Amino acid sequence: MGRFQQSPNTEHWQCLKRIVRYLRSTGQMVLEFTRNKNAPRVVGYADSDWAADAVDRKSISGFIFKVFGCTVSWSSKKQTTVATSSSEAEYVALSSASAEAIWLNGLLDDIHITSEAPTVIFEDNRGCIGLAKNLETKRSKHIIL
């Protein structure tokens, strides 16, 4: 809804009322954080949609991170550039998720919660996974992060 503050219309007003009704009806619900010692220290999930915005054809990046099984960090943002493929859109999302993983691991190290295990970030696009494993391809030199 924040995107439409400049010039809202009746459709946005209907959406806002729906959000307020949802928040009012779920006010008694809470998030409970209990540490699962068997869960990995940090695990992430990254995804994007490809050119879903019909106006400017930009993609939306999203990620979520769990620490010991509890969700602690998430984001959903419009990408700053127009991706020319779904793999490129996913790669940009994976890049922002990787930056968040580095920050989260630094935070955990600062509070003396250390682990030798690598952080796993799940990604569902084969092209993006291949690109992340082997960045030295001629088709990827145009990607701006």
Side-chain angles (χ1 to χ4, degrees), residues 113-124:
I113 300 175
T114 58
S115 173
E116 298 299 320
T119 299
V120 176
I121 302 175
F122 292 97
E123 171 59 52
D124 63 353

Side-chain angles (χ1 to χ4, degrees), residues 41-145:
R41 182 176 97 147
V42 178
V43 63
Y45 304 87
D47 201 7
S48 78
D49 65 352
W50 178 41
D53 191 329
V55 176
D56 61 7
R57 305 309 294 164
K58 290 184 180 176
S59 305
I60 305 288
S61 294
F63 63 77
I64 183 171
F65 279 93
K66 293 184 173 202
V67 176
F68 297 114
C70 298
T71 302
V72 296
S73 178
W74 59 92
S75 174
S76 176
K77 291 183 181 177
K78 187 185 281 192
Q79 294 178 1
T80 57
T81 59
V82 177
T84 58
S85 68
S86 61
S87 295
E88 182 180 339
E90 295 275 351
Y91 189 74
V92 172
L94 186 60
S95 174
S96 59
S98 298
E100 183 73 7
I102 291 168
W103 180 84
L104 218 75
N105 280 311
L107 176 68
L108 291 172
D109 288 341
D110 286 348
I111 59 174
H112 306 293
I113 300 175
T114 58
S115 173
E116 298 299 320
T119 299
V120 176
I121 302 175
F122 292 97
E123 171 59 52
D124 63 353
N125 185 289
R126 288 185 185 264
C128 175
I129 294 167
L131 186 60
K133 287 182 180 177
N134 181 19
L135 188 57
E136 300 298 323
T137 63
K138 292 179 182 177
R139 293 184 178 190
S140 65
K141 63 184 174 183
H142 68 285
I143 297 176
I144 300 170
L145 299 175

